[in-house]
Amino acid sequence: MNAFQRNESKETLFAFISAGDDPPKGDFPAQKKSPKLCGSNYPLSIAFIVVNEFCERFSYYGMKAVLTLYFLSFFHWDENLSTAVYHAFSALCYFTPVIGAIMADSWLGKYKTIIYLSIVYVVGHLIKSVGAIPSLGNQAVHVILSMVGLFLIALGTGGIKPCVSAFGGDQFEEEHASETSKFFSIFYLSINAGSLISTFVTPVLRGDVKCFGEDCYALAFGVPAALMVLALGE
């Protein structure tokens, strides 16, 4: 084939694309369809995304529900310091989405960003739970472990925030716009359900269960940590 014939074959291919027609079938492999949920148009992966988000929100708001009491009764800080640290942690959680967005767009992509920062999230919860065990070291050790845990939690929860919903929307094909809309409704329902349930359950675990002769903050932080491990496994 000479140069003119090669150019002609390229122009023929571009003509198919510009006209909206299908190019010759032998030139491009067919795109593999993702598995569907119960024979519907919903990708199977969105079930895991919804469960993941429920567990993540449960772990975050469950931990925050007793965080100020933890500072007051476990560290014996005054109200001003407890409130300042609580709000500093909340502010950091709202800043770290910028980091997650940069990582996803410029470096790792959404999926790897979610996985890696979820691991950071889990480690933070585990360190926070260990730091709430009274018999482990003195107060300085508890404070250091808790602050390190809170920093990792803030990095994890904020870092995955701009990625999860967008990653869920990416699972749908363009022609399934109605299913995409319903997915986001279910997605945000799971967020609110996890947040609501955790604010009732975690204080009960702290106050009604006694460990080490006092309120069981280790359990109150440990259950959200377990839910975040489950979310990572999903």
Side-chain angles (χ1 to χ4, degrees):
M1 179 183 293
N2 58 35
F4 176 78
Q5 289 173 321
R6 285 197 298 267
N7 290 335
E8 184 179 13
S9 64
K10 291 179 181 179
E11 291 175 1
T12 303
L13 175 59
F14 293 147
F16 274 109
I17 295 174
S18 62
D21 297 328
D22 294 332
K25 293 183 178 179
D27 292 348
F28 299 96
Q31 186 176 5
K32 187 178 180 181
K33 298 289 185 178
S34 58
K36 302 299 183 181
L37 185 63
C38 300
S40 66
N41 290 324
Y42 294 93
L44 181 62
S45 55
I46 67 164
F48 299 101
I49 294 173
V50 169
V51 174
N52 176 288
E53 190 64 16
F54 174 87
C55 294
E56 189 275 324
R57 290 291 86 185
F58 185 103
S59 67
Y60 174 74
Y61 282 101
M63 180 274 300
K64 282 191 72 176
V66 297
L67 187 57
T68 303
L69 290 175
Y70 177 67
F71 293 151
L72 290 169
S73 62
F74 193 85
F75 290 162
H76 303 292
W77 289 350
D78 59 35
E79 291 185 3
N80 291 334
L81 180 57
S82 300
T83 302
V85 174
Y86 177 87
H87 288 294
F89 168 71
S90 299
L92 184 60
C93 291
Y94 285 104
F95 171 77
T96 50
V98 177
I99 299 175
I102 294 173
M103 289 177 62
D105 292 341
S106 305
W107 182 23
L108 296 174
K110 290 189 283 290
Y111 178 75
K112 288 184 178 180
T113 300
I114 293 170
I115 293 297
Y116 294 158
L117 290 183
S118 292
I119 294 174
V120 172
Y121 201 167
V122 168
V123 172
H125 269 296
L126 294 176
I127 293 175
K128 187 74 176 66
S129 302
V130 171
I133 299 176
S135 58
L136 185 67
N138 55 24
Q139 183 171 351
V141 174
H142 297 312
V143 172
I144 292 173
L145 289 176
S146 295
M147 294 303 105
V148 170
L150 286 176
F151 175 79
L152 295 178
I153 290 171
L155 180 60
T157 187
I160 67 175
K161 192 178 295 296
C163 303
V164 177
S165 60
F167 182 70
D170 289 344
Q171 306 306 303
F172 290 87
E173 299 167 4
E174 293 183 1
E175 62 267 24
H176 298 148
S178 62
E179 287 82 0
T180 306
S181 177
K182 292 178 182 177
F183 158 72
F184 281 110
S185 297
I186 298 172
F187 179 81
Y188 288 110
L189 175 63
S190 71
I191 291 177
N192 292 318
S195 305
L196 177 64
I197 295 172
S198 65
T199 54
F200 288 103
V201 172
T202 308
V204 171
L205 294 175
R206 177 201 65 85
D208 293 357
V209 179
K210 302 297 179 180
C211 58
F212 308 103
E214 55 187 61
D215 290 345
C216 197
Y217 286 100
L219 179 63
F221 294 140
V223 170
L227 265 293
M228 194 56 214
V229 171
L230 177 61
L232 179 60
E234 294 288 345

